[in-house]
Amino acid sequence: MDTLRLTTNESDIRRAGEIIRSGGLVAFPTETVYGLGADALNAEAVSSVYKAKGRPSDNPMIVHIAYVAALDELVAGGIHALNNDVHKLISRLWPGPLTLVLPKSDKVPDVTTGGLDTVAVRMPSNGTARSLIRMAERPIAAPSANISGRPSPTTADDVLEDMDGRIDAVIMGEMCDVGIESTVLDMTGDEPVILRPGILSKEYISDVLGREVIYDQALLEIPDEVADPGKGVADTLFRPKSPGMKYKHYAPKADVVVITGSAERFKLRARELGLEAMKQGKRAAIIDYGDDANQAAHQFFADLRELDRQGYDFILIRSMEQKGKGFSVMNRMLKSAGYDVE
Ligand code: TXA
Ligand code: MG
């Protein structure tokens, strides 16, 4: 399949909308990362997204809308069935990098939600994304436009690196502003729960709601598949539970390690590890954003991909404080390192 390169001109976006309407796949920019879009209400189209990404089909997708009224057909009982907290979040934080998990209507196919009875919905703020949804005249299901397991793409070239020849078209927009994926907030229980941290932090959303939002417990523990008590290196960040296989997400080809502690410690350890690598004929690169979480979010995935293209074998990342946006950035850093922390 030849993958069309489209511009952000109106006529090209209209064409992209037609492709989505006819069941095709189009990658497009959002303010967070590039998405791989399909008609959310067309089960066959959504299935082909899983195929193009090499993604397990039980991992549900986010449905993107361009105006609040579009929520009505997606959620059980329609918009009026949603509680005050949900209405507050929608009016204060949409459009923007916030995904809400809500009870699903029958209209949303099971493939879109991975068989769950909830649906994840978000209204992106990116202008191109919004025109595309309007031109498509339907909600668009879109995971990040990367091969499953690789860093999410934040530029059109990064999308092509993974998806060229596998999808119908890419809208060649600008680099994404935010750089990490949206905050996923589960609004179906008694308390709002963050399932995936993003640039809209736990503290910020709690302020908006005027009540405490909590992290899903899974975000506070090292995953079973990775925990290795014998190694002991992750003790400062997590309490490892059980040994197991190494699991990677957002993984570049290079080996990645996150180094905790002071700036001074980072400098020393990075030098030691860098020299060690050199002795083995390997090239090591350093990623250090200081304490600038916005910059870190914006650049991190792009930097991982760039270092891979340059053929580095080893990437040493300076950790950030796990607070506010820093918690969300560290979530991506730790996953990319397969929780290799020292
Ligand atoms: O910023 C973003 O959210 C980007 C852009 C393209 O909008 N999209 C994105 O999609 O990151 P994806 O598929 O890579 O990640 C979706 C996340 C997954 O962790 C998935 O498990 C979760 O949202 N999710 C989707 N539907 C859910 C549901 N009904 N319940 C719980 N989690 C859900
Ligand atoms: Mg993804």
Side-chain angles (χ1 to χ4, degrees):
M1 171 190 303
D2 277 337
T3 299
L4 262 177
R5 272 76 162 160
L6 297 172
T7 68
T8 54
N9 293 341
E10 197 183 315
S11 59
D12 272 13
I13 297 180
R14 174 165 296 119
R15 180 146 181 218
E18 281 158 12
I19 295 174
I20 298 258
R21 266 204 307 284
S22 60
L25 306 188
V26 178
F28 62 99
T30 81
E31 71 277 21
T32 56
V33 301
Y34 272 72
L36 177 54
D39 177 350
L41 305 179
N42 176 342
E44 216 174 297
V46 172
S47 301
S48 61
V49 173
Y50 289 109
K51 235 175 280 157
K53 276 183 65 87
R55 171 168 172 148
S57 60
D58 60 352
N59 196 352
M61 286 185 202
I62 295 173
V63 178
H64 296 67
I65 58 177
Y67 44 91
V68 176
L71 197 54
D72 208 42
E73 65 171 354
L74 302 176
V75 297
I79 287 184
H80 297 291
L82 300 171
N83 66 36
N84 282 340
D85 282 345
V86 173
H87 285 289
K88 210 189 259 180
L89 291 169
I90 289 173
S91 68
R92 292 280 307 275
L93 300 179
W94 276 7
L98 174 69
T99 295
L100 298 174
V101 174
L102 302 166
K104 144 190 168 355
S105 78
D106 294 338
K107 223 175 151 185
V108 182
D110 285 336
V111 277
T112 305
T113 62
L116 297 176
D117 55 10
T118 56
V119 61
V121 189
R122 130 169 157 83
M123 188 192 295
S125 60
N126 177 282
T128 302
R130 292 161 70 79
S131 327
L132 174 65
I133 300 162
R134 274 196 223 96
M135 300 272 196
E137 295 168 1
R138 61 209 64 204
I140 295 182
S144 49
N146 52 285
I147 299 279
S148 214
R150 299 255 302 138
S152 296
T154 53
T155 69
D157 285 335
D158 289 350
V159 173
L160 286 168
E161 189 174 74
D162 283 13
M163 291 296 167
D164 199 9
R166 302 170 76 101
I167 60 177
D168 297 287
V170 181
I171 300 178
M172 308 287 290
E174 312 211 311
M175 184 174 181
C176 302
D177 283 340
V178 173
I180 58 172
E181 308 86 348
S182 61
T183 306
V184 177
L185 186 64
D186 184 354
M187 294 302 292
T188 61
D190 294 335
E191 301 179 280
V193 181
I194 292 183
L195 304 180
R196 180 177 68 186
I199 210 75
L200 294 180
S201 67
K202 167 174 150 2
E203 292 80 351
Y204 184 78
I205 298 171
S206 299
D207 264 4
V208 166
L209 278 180
R211 67 180 288 201
E212 194 63 20
V213 169
I214 60 173
Y215 285 128
D216 181 25
Q217 189 55 30
L219 294 173
L220 304 173
E221 290 168 352
I222 191 162
D224 282 349
E225 320 80 280
V226 194
D228 182 357
K231 235 165 70 175
V233 291
D235 286 11
T236 49
L237 290 167
F238 301 99
R239 209 169 310 119
K241 288 201 303 196
S242 64
M245 279 193 16
K246 205 157 174 125
Y247 165 83
K248 283 201 175 190
H249 199 148
Y250 307 124
K253 292 173 205 123
D255 273 334
V256 184
V257 60
V258 175
I259 300 175
T260 57
S262 64
E264 202 51 34
R265 175 171 192 269
F266 177 73
K267 224 157 82 186
L268 283 171
R269 268 317 270 159
R271 221 172 79 175
E272 282 167 11
L273 291 170
L275 284 172
E276 234 169 74
M278 245 163 67
K279 277 189 207 145
Q280 299 167 26
K282 290 182 176 166
R283 292 169 68 216
I286 281 174
I287 289 184
D288 177 0
Y289 304 110
D291 53 11
D292 189 344
N294 285 324
Q295 179 64 9
H298 180 66
Q299 278 297 132
F300 182 58
F301 288 143
D303 284 346
L304 289 182
R305 283 179 180 264
E306 180 55 30
L307 293 174
D308 260 355
R309 281 193 287 269
Q310 291 184 24
Y312 282 93
D313 308 287
F314 198 23
I315 301 175
L316 308 162
I317 302 177
R318 180 170 161 200
S319 70
M320 307 196 96
E321 196 184 357
Q322 297 199 81
K323 242 195 201 159
K325 298 172 183 184
F327 181 89
S328 312
V329 170
M330 273 293 279
N331 169 270
R332 307 317 194 268
M333 289 177 165
L334 290 165
K335 283 188 174 175
S336 75
Y339 293 86
D340 197 346
V341 181
E342 69 153 66

